[in-house]
Structures are given as structure tokens and as C-alpha cells.
Amino acid sequence: MMSYEEGDEAAALEGEKQAEKDKSGRIATPLVRGGVATTNMTATTTMAAAAVTTSTATSTLASTSSAAAATATTTTTTTTTMTSVLSLSAGLPSPPSKATFAASTAAASLIQVTAPPPPKFFDIQSVRNLSLLPPEKWAELHVAGQDAPFSVRGGTYLKDRRKEIAGAPQFVLAAIDLVDLGSNGPVYDIARFLPSVRQTTAAFSIVVNLIIPGTPMLSLACVFGSDKHPGQLGTPPSDPMEAGSHDWSPFDFVLHKFVHGSDAERDKMLKLIPHIAEGSWMIRQSVGAVPVIIGSKLKTAYTLTDSYLEVDVDVSANSVANYVTGMVRGATKSLVIDLAFVLEGGALWELPESLLGSLRLKRIDCGAAKKLKMDLDN
């Protein structure tokens, strides 16, 4: 939360100023994401039932892999050491060549997630009703009627480093689960215990599990769902820059790489953008608003199944992050906290970036975290 993405501080601040100048600061019309149209009510009221419709012709899905084997759940933990919380990395990474891209996608096809049968209707409201944190305590951002505070890399970022106000998230915010871990300590793959994942009607979910230090230790599990399964994308086009040769969007490329890639690749992709919408000057300064590559700064682990991908972020494993998070935790009843998650685009065909998911936490009480029955031995 307190680290800088390489060279992006000025661009992030410029993006914030642009959002300040935009008096509307809100997206006024319903937005379609992954075949689901949702309309959110204002943040001061309890979320009404989302209007959900399955798109019949928004895009042509690539053929599913015909002989993909069922992927067993694999959990690995990658530990990286935080070198400098406030340091800037030198220069932008060079985009991969076409040859490198073709080789990486060929390797990824060997570990593709098996696509399930055609997805059933994604009833967003039924999943939100399973959330362990009351709906009046959280909201989705960058959707109709809600604030849009986040900026992402634009289509020409590799040339001019320009950012733009992000559009609608590609995954729907399905639930926020605040869990009291008690004496269990950090719990990885917490999704296997969450009703919002176990009983979901989403075709695929991405769960970001923020493990928050303190007594008791907490898990803030952000559950994002989609009515489309990544396996339905098929194999990436051999030449992503050839006009008219495919219908993949920039987000399709980064999602495929994130789901099917190695943990080392994932560590370089998932960005967190924090924003304190309401809070003290000291906390605003401590948290900042600059994107950070989570896997390069904090201990992360990944669990991939046919129905979800979980990213476990152990904030307690880093002393500096631990300190700042502890400060925020002690003041959550007076804070409005915005978080956005982005899969970084590093190649021309991966830009402009899109939000994976976004959320707002409204004056939550950490003491109200729920306890779950968790059989950690199985």
C-alpha cells in the first residue's frame, strides 16, 4: 500500500487531479461487463437487487480446449523481500517480442483450466446475500451512480506514460467477507470455506484474500465473479497485433496470462491501487494512492481450481506494511477506503488496462468480523 509502481507517481497524481476536475466523478449509465449488466445504487443506501442480463452477442467466444484435463488445486507460496517501500524502479520494462509471446502462450496452453459446461445464470444478488460483511458497508466503484477515482494505463502508455480514468471493472464485485481467523493464524485458500464462493452462481471467481495483522488476525476476502469462464477464451492468437485476426480484448490477454501463468508471472501482474476517500491527513499520507505490484512487495500465495483463483496476500509478513495496516485497522470506523485491483498490461496488445475489480469499504468495524467453521486438516 505504501510503495510506488515504477515511475508512476506523477501520472497517478495527474490522474487524481483530472478526477477532481471532473465534477461528475461518476459513471451515469449502466455498464456491461463480461456479459452482465449491473446498476448500483448510491453508497448511502443498501444495495438493491442488481439487474442482471446475460449478453447474447457481445463477443464471439473462442472455442474451448477440447482435451484439457481437469486441473487439480495447487497452492504454492512465493515469498519476496521488500527492498524499498518508497523507491522508484528505473525505466519501463521492454514489451515482449512476438516470438517470446508465442512461446509463452504455447507453454500456457499446457496448463489451461478446463472450461465447464455453458455457464448458468449469474445471479449477482443471490451471491451478495451470502456476504459476511453487511452490504451497507461496501459498494462497487466505477459502475453506474458510483464514484470513479481510479486511473489506469492508457493505450499509448508505453510511448507517453499517459493514464486515463478507468472504465467499468471486468469482474463484478460479488461479496466482501471479513473473517475472524482467531488462533488459526494466516489461512490460505480461504475460498473453500466461504459461502459466497461455495454457493456462487458465477462461472468463475477471483478472490483476493488480504490477511490483516492484529488481534485477532483477520481475512478480508474480496470476491469478484464473472459469468464467463477463462477456459472459454481458448488459445491466444499467435499474432496479437494482426488487425482483424482475432476478437481478443486487452483484458482477455492479461486474464489468460494471469490464470494460466506461473506464480512468478502472477507476482509481476496484480496491482493494488489504494485511495482513502474519507480519513485523516496522516492516514491519507501513509496509505498514498500510487499503484503497487503486490507480489513484488508482499508474501503471496495462489490457489487455482476450475471455479476460482485465489490470491492470498499476507500483510502480516512485512514489518512496514504491518505497521501501516495496523494504523488503518485502528481507525476503520472513521474511514472510507477505496481499493482497485488491476492486471498490469506490459505489451501493446495488453493496453489500455482495465480494472479487474474495485470496491469501497465504508466505516467498517473490525470487531464485527465473522468466525467460520474451518477444517484446516482437510
Side-chain angles (χ1 to χ4, degrees), residues 3-32:
S3 302
Y4 290 87
E5 183 190 15
E6 46 196 45
D8 278 349
E9 180 183 17
L13 293 177
E14 180 181 347
E16 284 197 21
K17 291 179 181 178
Q18 181 180 354
E20 287 289 336
K21 291 179 181 178
D22 183 359
K23 293 292 185 180
S24 62
R26 297 170 181 270
I27 299 174
T29 55
L31 294 158
V32 177

Side-chain angles (χ1 to χ4, degrees), residues 345-377:
L348 290 175
W349 53 86
E350 296 172 348
L351 296 172
E353 290 179 334
S354 297
L355 297 178
L356 167 65
S358 63
L359 61 106
R360 168 168 286 176
L361 301 172
K362 298 177 285 187
R363 300 179 179 84
I364 63 173
D365 179 5
C366 290
K370 304 294 184 182
K371 291 188 177 182
L372 284 177
K373 184 178 180 180
M374 295 184 286
D375 183 3
L376 299 177
D377 295 327

Side-chain angles (χ1 to χ4, degrees), residues 39 119 131 140 265 339:
T39 302
S131 175
E140 188 171 24
E265 288 177 305
L339 300 175

Side-chain angles (χ1 to χ4, degrees), residues 87-176:
S87 65
L88 296 176
S89 300
L92 287 167
S94 300
S97 66
K98 292 181 180 179
T100 303
F101 176 81
S104 64
T105 54
S109 66
L110 299 177
I111 55 172
Q112 254 184 3
V113 176
T114 303
K120 51 191 175 183
F121 178 71
F122 182 13
D123 184 353
I124 300 172
Q125 192 56 44
S126 70
V127 180
R128 287 177 173 166
N129 291 339
L130 299 171
S131 175
L132 299 181
L133 188 66
E136 63 268 19
K137 290 297 183 180
W138 53 274
E140 188 171 24
L141 297 176
H142 285 257
V143 294
Q146 294 287 2
D147 291 345
F150 299 113
S151 296
V152 295
R153 292 180 173 186
T156 58
Y157 181 83
L158 297 181
K159 178 181 179 180
D160 55 24
R161 299 174 67 105
R162 296 193 60 156
K163 291 192 172 185
E164 58 189 38
I165 300 298
Q170 297 294 307
F171 274 59
V172 177
L173 179 60
I176 299 290

